[in-house]
Amino acid sequence: MVFQHPSARKHKLALKKYWHPTLVFGSLLVMLIWYAANAKVVSEQKVAEDDAISDLVNYSLLFKEDVLRRSLDLDRVLHFVRRSYERSGYHADWRALLAEEFTANAGTVQFAVIDRDGIMVTSTALPVPAGKIDLSDREHYKYHRDAISDTVHVSKPVLGRASNRWSIQYTRKFTDRAGHFAGVIVASLDPELLLASYRRLASQPRIGFALLGEDLTIKAGAGLFASQVGSQWNDGNDKRVLQTKGRDVDVSDRDFGGWRSLVAVRGVPGLPMSVAMTLRLADNTASLVWNEYYLGASVLSLAIYLAVFGSHRRQRRHVTHMTRLAHSDTLTKLPNRLSFQQTIKALINENSCGGRFALHLIDLDHFKAVNDTHGHPVGDELLRKVAERLKASVRVGDIVFRLGGDEFALLQIGITSIEDAEVVAQRICQVLANPFDLSGIQVFVGASIGIAILDDELCSAPSLLKAADIALYRAKDMGRGTHCPYSKDISDELQARRELEREIRSATAKRQIEVHYQPKVDLTDGNRIVGYEALVRWRHPERGLVPPIDFIQVAEESGSIVAIGAWVLEQACADFVHRPDDQTVAVNCSAIQLSHGNFLETVTQVLSRTSLPARRLEIEITETALMSQDASVLGQLEGLRQLGVRIAMDDFGTGYSSLGYLERYPIDCIKIDRSFVSKLGEEPRAAAITRIIISLAAELKICVVAEGIESRSQADLLAAMGCRIGQGYLFGRPALPCELWPKEQHRRSA
């Protein structure tokens, strides 16, 4: 008989008591839950890192484009000053020349001229130097004195001897009549100007922007780089390259100031500099992930152990808790969509408070822009603040719900008239129009609200929701930031619009779409026809010939413009393949067609099928197509240029940033809008603007076309200004091919 100590028998009984298969199963299940939670955390952290890399790549691209644009603008001024000097016979009054308005710029410290011996001749900071200022020791002077090529030089940050301010100096040399080195023209730029647009973004403690010279000197910095201006860029050897292949950006994962950070570096094409941006990987994302998944795993683990140890009371509490979660939005703590559906059905069934209540569908305006610009944490904070304001704006007994995303709903109970609902909706619009302060970031959103009231017509949940949705659609169509109650008229209008969309979608298949052509003539060659513009028309069986203004916008909003545009393109190319070889055809392209992503492929296939030479096709685009600054749009336009297709910008001069588009996109031709042409000879301002546009086109070596010419005096005035191509009713109205070229049409039909 083996002796066993009493304490050993006690521990064995205890182990047998608690070592139950349910406990084993529960423990294994808990381990599986924590394994899954940890895997989800790792996955979310990877997603967060990928999002951070994407943001870094996009912001660094915008930073590079901004630096390139500002640098090229400054270099153009240097070129212009030098050309003015050369045109004056290589003798110039430098002081008067630098005093011209074109040199004025809030970010330019000074413009200066240095002679061949390195002595300052004059500067905008010190027009008449008090004494001899010798700059022959400056880096830029030595560079141009010894350089053979004629290139712009960008200096390290230096302290100006005339301006006594820190600046980056853009310089170009100038020569005498014999071509010998005669001196240097200097434009000193405040480095902070290149970072001005990013100052608010760089104020965040995790972000830094820097401008690097060819020698890797930090010329300007903001945020994390603000204290390193003038120092050497430390490229480091411990970085881990994350993304370089096939791109012009180097993204690395490295230690930056003791923090793990992502760093992106891009070269600035054509300039001896690079831009750098860093994003410190903070712990707040990990904390959110911890709260969401590990806390969830903890709750589930606790629930499992409670079930194992068997407590009916605690089981009921757990079920109650889970039910509450199922009916509550975890972010805003408002009742969720499920709770909304159950509540509205219960109110209709109970028919309480006289049976009348109002449903408000609330949609935030511009929420996506906030999310895209500032990130999801800021977007989540905004949704929480919106929920707080909504709850504070309604009466006791009214219920606010979050349906999902940026959509909210309000059930206003016990109303007596539509005016009661409109008062509350107006108050909500005003409250949400006020700015939101989100962790130091001020944002504006506003809201659009659609209202539907329970009555004899709208007596079910689906009909109420549909009516409120129709009213919300109208509120957005009215310009957003407002409310709209449902009415039968609104429903009829929406139905009519949808019927119009349906008719437009089938118009091409029914051969109701026509292409008319308006001639473009050479104003300097007896109005010789050099090409035509293809203009789409809709020949409706009941309404007759419908002009584009009555259906193009609807076609764009419904997406039908893609099919219509492809058909017009093919028809125009097919019509012109038999026209004289020196005539071109211009086809308008909607912004929707470009954003669709396959417009380049469509043009390529049409040219192949019709055998029209690419040089005879011109694609006309508007500023709307370029406003997104989408890289895919630029890629498609570059692809069209490589095919040989010409790109024209329509309605030039009516937008707010046309000059920037001329720099950024491959534009071959600009069309002066008819609003300027129609006022020629009547308003001096219109003539001045037209003359400037023509001069700009000549300077950029691109074609210019004047639209809307209706009188001989307008045509003569445009020709005198230097505009060669004209278009308008004076030379011909848009017409069908059979009307323009009847013999050609007869030959083709034969």
Side-chain angles (χ1 to χ4, degrees):
M1 183 175 178
V2 179
F3 174 75
Q4 191 173 34
H5 195 276
S7 62
R9 289 198 301 270
K10 182 178 179 181
H11 287 292
K12 185 175 181 180
L13 291 173
L15 183 62
K16 184 177 180 180
K17 178 180 179 181
Y18 292 107
W19 192 256
H20 192 273
T22 304
L23 179 59
V24 175
F25 175 76
S27 300
L28 291 175
L29 186 57
V30 167
M31 291 172 62
L32 180 61
I33 290 172
W34 280 93
Y35 176 81
N38 185 67
K40 188 64 176 176
V41 167
V42 172
S43 173
E44 289 291 333
Q45 288 175 334
K46 179 62 170 60
V47 170
E49 181 178 288
D50 290 343
D51 290 343
I53 291 174
S54 178
D55 290 343
L56 197 65
V57 168
N58 292 334
Y59 277 123
S60 65
L61 175 62
L62 291 176
F63 185 25
K64 180 202 75 173
E65 293 293 336
D66 199 25
V67 169
L68 179 61
R69 178 178 60 80
R70 294 180 184 271
S71 299
L72 291 178
D73 286 345
L74 204 57
D75 190 31
R76 288 193 188 97
V77 177
L78 293 176
H79 269 295
F80 189 85
V81 171
R82 188 170 68 180
R83 285 198 301 271
S84 299
Y85 155 74
E86 293 170 352
R87 291 169 181 167
S88 63
Y90 295 87
H91 295 285
D93 183 351
W94 290 111
R95 180 181 175 187
L97 187 59
L98 296 188
E100 293 288 343
E101 288 187 3
F102 66 83
T103 61
N105 190 304
T108 305
V109 176
Q110 67 165 333
F111 279 87
V113 177
I114 306 171
D115 65 16
R116 70 178 73 247
D117 299 320
I119 305 302
M120 179 185 288
V121 177
T122 186
S123 80
T124 54
L126 196 62
V128 182
K132 180 179 180 181
I133 300 179
D134 187 356
L135 300 175
S136 60
D137 61 334
R138 288 298 202 194
E139 170 195 356
H140 53 79
Y141 170 79
K142 294 178 181 179
Y143 175 85
H144 289 297
R145 181 194 62 192
D146 301 331
I148 298 176
S149 61
D150 178 19
T151 59
V152 64
H153 176 70
V154 184
S155 73
K156 299 177 181 178
V158 296
L159 184 65
R161 293 177 183 168
S163 64
N164 197 32
R165 293 168 61 185
W166 283 96
S167 64
I168 299 175
Q169 296 177 331
Y170 291 72
T171 59
R172 278 192 178 274
K173 71 178 181 180
F174 62 95
T175 61
D176 57 20
R177 190 183 301 275
H180 299 137
F181 174 73
V184 180
I185 306 172
V186 183
S188 301
L189 181 69
D190 186 347
E192 297 301 318
L193 177 66
L194 299 175
L195 296 166
S197 302
Y198 307 93
R199 188 65 55 195
R200 174 168 292 185
L201 187 60
S203 65
Q204 302 182 33
R206 301 192 301 123
I207 298 176
F209 293 88
L211 184 65
L212 309 179
E214 197 171 23
D215 56 355
L216 296 183
T217 301
I218 299 179
K219 298 181 180 295
L224 299 178
F225 290 108
S227 62
Q228 301 185 28
V229 176
S231 62
Q232 194 74 10
W233 169 261
N234 180 20
D235 198 34
N237 296 319
D238 58 340
K239 67 182 182 180
R240 176 170 63 93
V241 176
L242 297 176
Q243 192 178 83
T244 56
K245 186 176 181 182
R247 309 181 73 110
D248 63 345
V249 59
D250 176 18
V251 181
S252 58
D253 183 350
R254 53 189 291 191
D255 181 77
F256 189 90
W259 293 79
R260 179 172 174 244
S261 305
L262 298 175
V263 179
V265 179
R266 290 179 181 272
V268 181
L271 294 174
M273 62 176 64
S274 303
V275 296
M277 179 183 175
T278 187
L279 177 63
R280 179 181 292 168
L281 296 178
D283 294 333
N284 58 341
T285 302
S287 299
L288 290 174
V289 172
W290 173 277
N291 291 337
E292 184 177 352
Y293 296 111
Y294 287 166
L295 181 59
S298 300
V299 171
L300 289 176
S301 300
L302 179 60
I304 290 172
Y305 280 121
L306 288 175
V308 169
F309 290 106
S311 172
H312 179 67
R313 182 179 178 185
R314 293 187 179 182
Q315 274 189 337
R316 293 194 62 180
R317 288 180 180 176
H318 175 68
V319 171
T320 302
H321 174 67
M322 296 303 293
T323 302
R324 188 183 304 115
L325 287 178
H327 289 77
S328 176
D329 177 59
T330 56
L331 178 64
T332 62
K333 309 306 179 187
L334 293 175
N336 60 13
R337 181 180 290 273
L338 176 61
S339 179
F340 168 76
Q341 293 171 343
Q342 294 177 349
T343 303
I344 194 171
K345 288 179 181 178
L347 285 173
I348 293 174
N349 291 335
E350 292 173 4
N351 200 21
S352 59
C353 301
R356 300 203 75 187
F357 66 88
L359 166 61
H360 301 248
L361 285 185
I362 306 168
D363 199 5
L364 298 185
D365 300 331
H366 316 301
F367 174 74
K368 185 177 184 300
V370 174
N371 236 4
D372 294 344
T373 303
H374 303 292
H376 292 289
V378 173
D380 290 347
E381 185 180 356
L382 173 60
L383 291 173
R384 286 191 289 267
K385 292 288 184 68
V386 167
E388 293 172 3
R389 291 191 186 183
L390 287 175
K391 287 190 291 185
S393 302
V394 301
R395 307 168 305 171
V396 175
D398 295 341
I399 311 172
V400 179
F401 303 85
R402 183 188 176 206
L403 303 183
D406 60 346
E407 297 177 295
F408 295 82
L410 164 65
L411 289 177
Q412 185 184 357
I413 302 171
I415 66 169
T416 58
S417 65
I418 185 64
E419 287 75 15
D420 294 343
E422 290 194 86
V423 168
V424 172
Q426 180 64 29
R427 181 164 64 245
I428 292 174
C429 287
Q430 292 174 349
V431 166
L432 296 185
N434 294 327
F436 289 84
D437 189 359
L438 309 174
S439 303
I441 301 172
Q442 193 176 71
V443 300
F444 294 82
V445 284
S448 301
I449 303 176
I451 309 170
I453 298 179
L454 181 71
D455 55 22
D456 294 338
E457 179 187 356
L458 307 177
C459 54
S460 65
S463 62
L464 270 174
L465 282 169
K466 181 179 179 180
D469 195 52
I470 290 173
L472 176 60
Y473 181 88
R474 167 53 67 88
K476 292 180 179 180
D477 200 42
M478 291 165 58
R480 299 179 182 268
T482 187
H483 66 276
C484 178
Y486 170 81
S487 69
K488 187 66 166 57
D489 292 340
I490 294 176
S491 179
D492 292 343
E493 288 179 14
L494 181 61
Q495 184 64 32
R497 181 184 179 90
R498 289 174 177 168
E499 177 63 21
L500 180 60
E501 292 177 358
R502 186 193 64 78
E503 289 184 339
I504 292 173
R505 280 194 295 269
S506 63
T508 303
K510 294 180 179 179
R511 300 191 177 186
Q512 296 173 359
I513 300 298
E514 298 177 352
V515 183
H516 293 207
Y517 299 98
Q518 185 176 32
K520 295 190 291 185
V521 303
D522 190 333
L523 300 176
T524 64
D525 188 13
N527 296 336
R528 177 178 59 87
I529 296 178
V530 296
Y532 291 82
E533 179 181 359
L535 300 169
V536 64
R537 298 291 187 267
W538 179 16
R539 193 171 296 277
H540 194 278
E542 298 175 359
R543 284 177 279 180
L545 198 62
V546 182
I549 193 172
D550 292 342
F551 71 92
I552 287 297
Q553 182 178 353
V554 177
E556 289 181 333
E557 292 175 357
S558 65
S560 303
I561 193 66
V562 176
I564 294 174
W567 183 88
V568 171
L569 175 66
E570 179 136 12
Q571 186 65 41
C573 291
D575 285 341
F576 270 77
V577 74
H578 299 290
R579 296 298 303 154
D581 192 56
D582 61 344
Q583 291 184 1
T584 62
V585 60
V587 180
N588 290 278
C589 174
S590 166
I592 305 299
Q593 291 175 263
L594 277 179
S595 63
H596 197 259
N598 63 347
F599 183 69
L600 173 59
E601 181 182 352
T602 299
V603 173
T604 304
Q605 293 174 353
V606 168
L607 290 175
S608 175
R609 285 195 297 268
T610 61
S611 300
L612 181 75
R615 59 181 173 77
R616 296 185 57 198
L617 176 62
E618 186 175 277
I619 298 298
E620 291 190 9
I621 58 177
T622 62
E623 276 189 321
T624 306
L626 306 179
M627 286 178 63
S628 66
Q629 300 187 14
D630 192 340
S632 66
V633 172
L634 177 58
Q636 291 187 83
L637 295 182
E638 291 285 4
L640 291 173
R641 170 73 72 81
Q642 292 174 8
L643 283 177
V645 176
R646 291 167 54 82
I647 309 297
M649 179 182 286
D650 201 5
D651 303 331
F652 185 81
T654 59
Y656 72 94
S657 57
S658 296
L659 293 179
Y661 298 144
L662 292 180
E663 176 189 1
R664 189 177 304 113
Y665 294 96
I667 305 298
D668 300 294
C669 178
I670 54 179
K671 301 189 73 174
I672 304 174
D673 188 67
R674 65 182 66 247
S675 62
F676 298 115
V677 175
S678 64
K679 299 174 185 176
L680 291 179
E682 299 176 2
E683 295 188 14
R685 287 178 177 269
I689 293 173
T690 303
R691 189 177 292 106
I692 289 172
I693 294 174
I694 295 171
S695 300
L696 174 64
E699 186 72 23
L700 296 177
K701 294 182 175 57
I702 61 179
C703 173
V704 61
V705 178
E707 294 183 294
I709 302 175
E710 298 185 2
S711 68
R712 174 50 57 186
S713 60
Q714 292 173 348
D716 294 341
L717 186 56
L718 286 164
M721 290 180 182
C723 178
R724 193 175 71 86
I725 309 299
Q727 179 181 350
Y729 287 170
L730 177 64
F731 312 111
R733 292 176 176 269
L736 288 167
C738 61
E739 300 169 351
L740 292 171
W741 320 299
K743 293 182 180 180
E744 175 69 17
Q745 288 298 112
H746 177 71
R747 185 183 66 81
R748 288 181 60 190
S749 62

